[in-house]
Amino acid sequence: AQSVTQLDSQVPVFEEAPVELRCNYSSSVSVYLFWYVQYPNQGLQLLLKYLSGSTLVESINGFEAEFNKSQTSFHLRKPSVHISDTAEYFCAVSDPGAGSYQLTFGKGTKLSVIP
Amino acid sequence: DAGVIQSPRHEVTEMGQEVTLRCKPISGHNSLFWYRQTMMRGLELLIYFNNNVPIDDSGMPEDRFSAKMPNASFSTLKIQPSEPRDSAVYFCASSPDAPGNTIYFGEGSWLTVV
């Protein structure tokens, strides 16, 4: 079974500073990788995903993540954060070879942007 | 599209009472998921339906929990009897029927059992 490790449960960072949220997954076979964001009192929404092709994927609000197969990682980065980025971020993985559409989520990282 | 619709948004109930949470998935989506989110355990998958059929219910905590999907546009999650430890946010989510497709979440049902 797949597993996802988000190494940091909380990350405080000052506004306009860069941030990296770390994610590692367990499997070395082909996987699909996702980052979801949960703003306070809301459901999760997709931020970006990697299915195939370029290992660097970007979101519309300046986040990017890079798929690194050798390190089984999919870290999320942003060069300059805003107050509005304060939220909880979840990394998730699915196994296209398993014939299932389920996602396995990490435990989440709470990003707090400090003015 | 209206998105995944859940009701009620908030419910406070007494221990021992029956709780029914409802979900309307996005039209055309074949997969439906029920998740539970708590501070202690994070986000847990409770049950997953595909084409209205339960595929994986291994995450359902115990017999007090049951889920149904009588048709493609409606699902329920029932807790009977409820206990304080069931207090959590319950999310319904749906997705089209293909690996790698985005899962769309509802806004959640916030349950408090006192």
Side-chain angles (χ1 to χ4, degrees), chain B residues 2 9 13-14 27 34 48 63 82-83 87 97 107-108:
Chain B
R9 287 297 316 278
T13 191
E14 291 186 347
S27 177
W34 282 101
Y48 153 52
D63 291 346
S82 58
E83 297 182 3
S87 298
D97 210 13
E107 294 196 330

Side-chain angles (χ1 to χ4, degrees), chain A residues 55-95:
Chain A
T55 56
L56 186 66
V57 291
E58 298 176 352
S59 73
I60 59 173
N61 57 352
F63 282 94
E64 63 179 31
E66 186 159 20
F67 168 55
N68 188 319
K69 187 174 181 179
S70 63
Q71 297 187 5
T72 59
S73 69
F74 191 56
H75 301 331
L76 182 70
R77 292 186 286 264
K78 188 170 185 179
S80 175
V81 296
H82 302 289
I83 294 291
S84 59
D85 294 324
T86 293
E88 189 161 14
Y89 292 79
F90 293 87
C91 183
V93 62
S94 71
D95 181 356

Side-chain angles (χ1 to χ4, degrees), chain A residues 20-68:
Chain A
E20 179 179 79
L21 307 182
R22 295 178 291 171
C23 171
N24 289 86
Y25 61 94
S26 61
S27 175
S28 60
V29 298
S30 295
V31 293
Y32 295 146
L33 294 157
F34 305 78
W35 276 99
Y36 279 78
V37 58
Q38 184 180 28
Y39 297 105
N41 301 318
Q42 295 186 24
L44 281 72
Q45 52 188 282
L46 181 72
L47 187 61
L48 49 76
K49 64 181 176 182
Y50 169 80
L51 304 183
S52 65
S54 172
T55 56
L56 186 66
V57 291
E58 298 176 352
S59 73
I60 59 173
N61 57 352
F63 282 94
E64 63 179 31
E66 186 159 20
F67 168 55
N68 188 319

Side-chain angles (χ1 to χ4, degrees), chain B residues 16-36:
Chain B
Q17 296 298 307
E18 178 179 293
V19 173
T20 299
L21 307 178
R22 298 173 178 80
C23 175
K24 176 178 168 54
I26 293 173
S27 177
H29 284 189
N30 299 89
S31 293
L32 182 138
F33 309 84
W34 282 101
Y35 288 90
R36 177 172 69 177

Side-chain angles (χ1 to χ4, degrees), chain A residues 5-24:
Chain A
T5 302
Q6 292 185 244
L7 295 167
D8 305 299
S9 60
Q10 297 190 56
V11 173
V13 62
F14 286 103
E15 192 175 13
E16 298 184 4
V19 70
E20 179 179 79
L21 307 182
R22 295 178 291 171
C23 171
N24 289 86

Side-chain angles (χ1 to χ4, degrees), chain B residues 7-8 25 28 31 33 35-36 38-39 43 49 84-85 88 90 92 106:
Chain B
S7 64
S31 293
F33 309 84
Y35 288 90
R36 177 172 69 177
T38 61
M39 291 286 290
L43 195 64
F49 291 88
R85 60 194 169 118
Y90 292 82
C92 178

Side-chain angles (χ1 to χ4, degrees), chain B residues 48-62:
Chain B
Y48 153 52
F49 291 88
N50 185 254
N51 292 321
N52 312 337
V53 175
I55 302 300
D56 183 358
D57 65 355
S58 59
M60 294 287 265
E62 49 199 270

